[in-house]
Amino acid sequence: MKITLKFFGQLRELTKCDETEIQVKEDTMVEDLIWVLGERFPNIREHLKVVSFSIDNEYAGKGTVLQDGNVVGLLPPISGG
Amino acid sequence: MKITLKFFGQLRELTKCDETEIQVKEDTMVEDLIWVLGERFPNIREHLKVVSFSIDNEYAGKGTVLQDGNVVGLLPPISGG
Amino acid sequence: MSLGYCRPSAEVEVVQLTPEKIDIEALLQGVDDHATGGVVLFLGKVRNHAGGREVTRMDYEAYPEMAEAKMLEVEKQTLGKWPVQKIALVHRTGKLQLGEVSVAIAVACAHRKDAFEACRFAIDTLKEIVPVWKKEYFADGEAWVEGVIPRTP
Amino acid sequence: MSLGYCRPSAEVEVVQLTPEKIDIEALLQGVDDHATGGVVLFLGKVRNHAGGREVTRMDYEAYPEMAEAKMLEVEKQTLGKWPVQKIALVHRTGKLQLGEVSVAIAVACAHRKDAFEACRFAIDTLKEIVPVWKKEYFADGEAWVEGVIPRTP
């Protein structure tokens, strides 16, 4: 199945990527993405330790199982205001 | 000696007086005015129990001795803001 | 490295007692400062209810010379307790309609926590020491608002 | 006696993420309400210093759809905790110069204590849950501001 990844802030800058689609297996959990992403973007491995995830505009726990078509946000620590 | 009295808020309304000059004896204290005023304006006697006084734009304790030319404010409980 | 943004001390900027509509834009301009990270503005407004009764308008009366002196004291006390960059304080007098602003206090600080605390202290202190009185008008009458005995030194 | 001034519940009024200069006047108009006695407005501004370094400007980036959803959640959480009449929340994005307003929150309540507490809660919560990132520019470089891991449900 296919999901869309969205990168923000420093992660967007380091990956030079705003958004990309990737294929994942059934029953992939959010936390599995950390490994997938670390392989594909080695220069953000350190940052993935403190990344938060969103699925379809809502924060998602690391144990959440991904569904086909999900839009997954990779959110560095936030600093709005 | 002579002092100026200024009335505000409800006291101004009840006395129908903004400002007046009165003669007081040497060594008159602020608290002595309560009696003087109660005689002259019987309808504010009740209000004088909670009145505060100012001398020359600064709050004055009841034991302060008045000086010739003082401007004394009669201040009902305040309600600004 | 330039430390040009450091200010040696806060400034008392604006204290005003006015019968005119308060100009919020100008007030905020007055506390503009590049060392500021947070501005807190408080507006007191004429409310359409009090103690369960419907209010139709409000009159504000001040002891002008003393009120301005005490407003300055509010600022000085505030500046003495928090690291404030700029502060501005305006109180209106006269006949006010519903929704009109009776008092406005703007406080600019490096950090928001200080701005919130300083602004709240300023309005609380204003209500304790500034000689102003207000009268509420109801559909069926009028009454001076029950006030507080001013806190004196 | 008319109880027309009672509101059954608070309203979520304004949530906006915008690349344009924030219009404070419009924001305050948005929380105008005759049942209001106190309005507290918070403005976050681009400050010329951070961590002892001189800042020259700031860029703000958001996850737009999610940021607006979370800004709405900030309002709802605030409305759930204080008797708020109206609330408005605007966050700016893009390149900001020193002194420009990055975030503005206006809260209107019957009583000032609630307005202060609700406004402070709203900005604190915004900083905990709204996905926005900022980058500081110095005379000699740039850096993403060290943020906080968002508080999630």
Side-chain angles (χ1 to χ4, degrees), chain C residues 5-36:
Chain C
Y5 53 81
C6 288
R7 301 176 74 92
S9 67
E11 292 168 32
V12 173
E13 290 297 327
V14 178
V15 164
Q16 202 194 354
L17 194 72
T18 175
E20 308 292 333
K21 194 171 176 318
I22 297 175
D23 184 342
I24 307 297
E25 197 85 9
L27 193 81
L28 290 173
Q29 279 294 332
V31 300
D32 196 27
D33 185 311
H34 284 181
T36 290

Side-chain angles (χ1 to χ4, degrees), chain A residues 9 12-13 58-59 78-79, chain D residues 61 63 70 129 132 135 148:
Chain A
R12 181 184 51 71
E13 222 173 54
E58 185 53 77
Y59 291 112
I78 59 177
S79 54
Chain D
E61 173 179 338
Y63 181 174
K70 288 291 147 189
I129 70 171
V132 172
K135 193 178 192 175
V148 296

